[in-house]
Amino acid sequence: MRLVTVAHGTRKSSGNAIAAELTALAAERLGIEAVCSYVELSEPLFADVVAGSTEPTVAVPLLLSTGFHIRTDLPSMAEGAGGPLTMGRPFGPHRQVAQAQAARLLDAGAQPGTRVVLVAAGSSDELATRDQERAAELLADEWGGEVEVATLTARGRRPAEVVRDGDAVSPYLLSPGYFADKARTQSLEAGAGVVADVLGTHPLLVDLLCARFTALRSAAR
């Protein structure tokens, strides 16, 4: 059984490389075949990957919240799968994601307990808002301090409305790209003292990806 991950996709090649590297690290550890795919903006597209194989597949979205892609795009694309397909839930919110965020904050020089603003890309889906709030709760537990949510698009408040002078900012984003650049710029303009890096290929995310695949493979048998 193979693993197919599916990330959002970006026009920035370094952003797409993060998802591919994360997938490769998990595949090496698990000793399996794995393919990294994307919803849009980069190739290979998830729809093409699952349609082009009859092999049993476990698909793990590398998306951090429920939203249109999870609820509409991926189920529609999965209908064209050439073989058995087991689809996982979004990658976040999850405690290991929050732990990775906390580690990125420390790496950036943030002091434990400092007020944090979690900046997400944003979505018009109410379930995405729920997931972002849950992600903030998990990060607050790990960080030991207040965490508020800001979004860059759609529902929610923008960084300019949430970030205070001296706050630490944690991008709720997997990869560099348009949203990561926007999160950093808007947060610094609002007075943030520290902006952490994106989640990237943090070892905790590799652990989580391996665990997701193993659980879904067992459930599919």
Side-chain angles (χ1 to χ4, degrees):
M1 186 173 290
R2 69 172 180 164
L3 165 66
V4 173
T5 61
V6 52
H8 184 280
T10 173
R11 293 184 177 88
K12 196 167 186 174
S13 59
S14 59
N16 296 321
I18 291 293
E21 184 178 351
L22 183 61
T23 304
L25 289 168
E28 181 179 5
R29 183 184 301 180
L30 292 164
I32 59 168
E33 176 193 353
V35 179
C36 178
S37 67
Y38 306 91
V39 178
E40 59 185 6
L41 302 178
S42 185
E43 294 183 345
L45 295 175
F46 177 69
D48 295 336
V49 169
V50 297
S53 174
T54 58
E55 184 178 357
T57 294
V58 165
V60 178
L62 299 178
L63 305 173
L64 297 173
S65 302
T66 304
F68 186 81
H69 292 315
I70 290 290
R71 282 159 43 99
T72 302
D73 284 339
L74 295 186
S76 176
M77 294 174 183
E79 289 178 359
L85 174 64
T86 302
M87 177 71 72
R89 65 185 185 277
F91 216 45
H94 193 279
R95 189 162 300 280
Q96 283 174 252
V97 174
Q99 291 168 347
Q101 287 180 271
R104 293 297 190 214
L105 284 164
L106 291 173
D107 289 344
Q111 295 300 309
T114 300
R115 183 177 185 269
V116 169
V117 178
L118 179 152
V119 178
S123 171
S124 59
D125 193 316
E126 291 183 7
L127 292 181
T129 300
R130 178 204 65 185
D131 285 352
Q132 291 154 15
E133 291 171 349
R134 178 57 179 157
E137 291 174 358
L138 291 169
L139 180 56
D141 287 345
E142 293 297 328
W143 188 245
E146 179 186 0
V147 178
E148 295 289 339
V149 177
T151 60
L152 298 169
T153 63
R155 297 170 61 92
R157 296 179 296 163
R158 303 296 175 252
E161 301 173 77
V162 183
V163 175
R164 302 174 187 166
D165 286 347
D167 281 351
V169 169
S170 176
Y172 193 56
L173 300 164
L174 181 69
S175 303
Y178 172 77
F179 285 119
D181 292 343
K182 192 172 182 180
R184 175 170 292 276
T185 298
Q186 291 190 8
S187 297
L188 291 174
E189 288 175 348
V194 170
V195 179
D197 198 0
V198 294
L199 288 159
T201 58
H202 193 282
L204 285 164
L205 298 192
V206 180
D207 293 344
L208 179 57
L209 179 51
C210 290
R212 285 283 169 86
F213 173 81
T214 299
L216 290 165
R217 179 176 58 183
S218 296
R221 286 175 175 169

